Amino acid sequence: MSEFKASSFSDEFGGGPDIVGLTTFTSPYYFVPPSGSTAERPSSPPPGMLRFNTDIGRLEVWRNDHWATILGESPNLGNQILAADRSATGTGVRGLSGGGYSTSKRDEIDYFTISTLGNAQDFGNLSESRYWISNGACSSTTRGVWGGGGVFPTSPNKTDRIDYVTIASTGDAIDFGNLDASRYGLGSCSNQTRGLFVGGYQTPGSQISNIDYITIASNGTDAQDFGDLTVARYYMTALASSVRGVFLSGRTGTSPYNYYNTIDYVTIPSQGHAQDFGNLTAGKAESYAGANSTRGLCFSGYDNGTATNAIEFITIATTGNSQDFGDLAGNVVAGSIATSPIRAVAAGGYQQPSPGNTDTMQFVTISTTGNAADFGNLTVARHTLGSCSNGHGGL
């Protein structure tokens, strides 16, 4: 074994010399690991590969199935405190929940740290109070974005507004641009670069199949056409890996409604119409979904008109029908999901038959199966809010 000691070294091209054999490196100063953007991640890295991600400004390590961010201290995200103090926030993946409806439409944005347990705290406000954005939120590692929603009693009673926040800070949302059409009851998902907004409700009995996309880093531009769903529907949900956007459930028509067990998908970096993925266990609407890089979860919903507490899962890289995961505590519909690589946190919703609007937050460990456990509470009890995070499966 040889030992190579240096405060710094480079060759004429700015890199280090080739060192052959088993070598240790020590320095009282520092070393600089390989670096590059998210798009420049190696396609087949060895387990344990370490690199600096220039998009997010953090080290990351390959853990055999996903890139895990190495988190440090942040004055914006607070200190990592696990379990004991349920009001504490930490430095892990941050979830945001915005908008919704209680006795009226809401504009609050809450934040919480997914790796801890605790109550949500005030982040700021949306640019417009709105609801039925249960799945109209998406995000990159830096930005959270909300699109569309219901604004009743304002006329017209729906909006095409898109606004965004910087996740690591706190503050009010800023105008981003507009969807191609005003609508509510839409779904949304994203990878690091693109956000997709799918389906939705326009007028009584009128639902759309539109899939729009935005470039998350480029505010000031309106959404553009991506393609169409396999079935036009509203009150649907969506989730994503870095490659695939997956769209689940929904309904059409007016009472009596048609409930769909449809799952379809697109390839996010491309454009085109959605393709068939498989089916949920039953036709549902007002479900809510989230994912890590490999597994997607679909929570609750009206199962052909009856509220359910079921949680189902799919493997995103394959196609096929969903499978049973476990149950929520209560039949809570019209909530929303924020995820990290490990956890999915279900926030808010409408609990049937009582007590109606809820501020409850529940979580599950995505890689396992089982029932949800208590996480904490939102600042305001409400349903049809939109949630996102800076650590979901699309990143």
Side-chain angles (χ1 to χ4, degrees):
M1 181 177 70
S2 60
E3 185 177 28
F4 188 87
K5 296 182 177 180
S7 60
S8 65
F9 58 87
S10 65
D11 61 21
E12 66 270 29
F13 301 108
D18 293 333
I19 301 173
V20 180
L22 182 61
T23 303
T24 64
F25 174 81
T26 62
S27 170
Y29 301 101
Y30 60 86
F31 80 97
V32 179
S35 64
S37 67
T38 300
E40 293 170 334
R41 286 169 171 167
S43 58
S44 300
M49 180 179 182
L50 183 73
R51 68 191 296 271
F52 182 78
N53 188 314
T54 55
D55 286 338
I56 62 175
R58 290 188 182 275
L59 289 170
E60 58 186 5
V61 62
W62 178 249
R63 296 187 60 185
N64 246 353
D65 62 351
H66 71 278
W67 287 101
T69 302
I70 299 175
L71 296 168
E73 293 183 357
S74 166
N76 291 317
L77 298 184
N79 296 317
Q80 181 79 22
I81 303 175
L82 299 175
D85 181 357
R86 293 179 60 78
S87 65
T89 57
T91 57
V93 174
R94 177 177 275 193
L96 303 181
S97 296
Y101 191 94
S102 53
T103 56
S104 61
K105 58 187 177 180
R106 315 295 306 197
D107 65 358
E108 292 92 342
I109 306 171
D110 294 354
Y111 75 95
F112 50 92
T113 302
I114 295 176
S115 60
T116 69
L117 301 178
N119 297 332
Q121 299 184 51
D122 178 58
F123 182 98
N125 301 94
L126 295 172
S127 63
E128 179 180 31
S129 297
R130 58 198 199 263
Y131 58 103
W132 285 126
I133 50 173
S134 301
N135 293 281
C138 60
S139 53
S140 67
T141 53
T142 55
R143 284 184 169 180
V145 183
W146 288 263
V151 293
F152 183 84
T154 304
S155 181
N157 66 354
K158 64 193 76 68
T159 183
D160 63 359
R161 184 177 305 212
I162 307 171
D163 48 12
Y164 75 96
V165 298
T166 301
I167 297 174
S169 66
T170 58
D172 295 339
I174 301 169
D175 181 59
F176 183 99
N178 301 95
L179 298 172
D180 72 337
S182 296
R183 59 196 194 266
Y184 61 82
L186 65 165
S188 184
C189 61
S190 62
N191 62 12
Q192 172 65 9
T193 305
R194 280 185 172 178
L196 304 183
F197 298 92
V198 299
Y201 179 95
Q202 289 191 306
T203 59
S206 174
Q207 52 281 323
I208 62 177
S209 63
N210 302 38
I211 306 172
D212 298 356
Y213 77 93
I214 59 169
T215 301
I216 297 174
S218 301
N219 52 297
T221 57
D222 294 337
Q224 302 177 60
D225 180 58
F226 184 98
D228 293 289
L229 296 168
T230 59
V231 178
R233 56 199 193 272
Y234 62 97
Y235 295 172
M236 57 182 298
T237 188
L239 56 88
S241 68
S242 60
V243 177
R244 279 187 172 177
V246 183
F247 317 126
L248 313 92
S249 71
R251 79 184 192 194
T252 61
T254 56
S255 184
Y257 303 104
N258 300 309
Y259 291 86
Y260 287 85
N261 64 357
T262 303
I263 309 174
D264 43 15
Y265 75 96
V266 296
T267 302
I268 299 176
S270 66
Q271 290 172 246
H273 300 321
Q275 302 178 60
D276 180 58
F277 183 99
N279 299 102
L280 295 169
T281 57
K284 295 182 178 182
E286 300 179 45
S287 299
Y288 37 112
N292 63 12
S293 60
T294 55
R295 178 179 276 192
L297 305 182
C298 183
F299 288 66
S300 185
Y302 285 106
D303 180 345
N304 286 308
T306 301
T308 176
N309 65 351
I311 307 171
E312 306 176 40
F313 77 93
I314 59 170
T315 301
I316 302 173
T318 66
T319 57
N321 297 336
S322 66
Q323 301 177 59
D324 179 61
F325 182 97
D327 297 299
L328 286 166
N331 301 332
V332 184
V333 300
S336 63
I337 298 290
T339 61
S340 72
I342 298 172
R343 281 182 173 176
V345 178
Y350 192 85
Q351 185 162 330
Q352 298 252 345
S354 64
N357 292 310
T358 182
D359 62 1
T360 299
M361 302 165 71
Q362 305 178 52
F363 77 95
V364 297
T365 301
I366 299 174
S367 61
T368 65
T369 57
N371 297 334
D374 180 55
F375 184 94
N377 300 95
L378 294 170
T379 61
V380 178
R382 59 203 196 267
H383 64 71
T384 58
L385 64 167
S387 293
C388 59
S389 78
N390 58 356
H392 62 80
L395 306 178

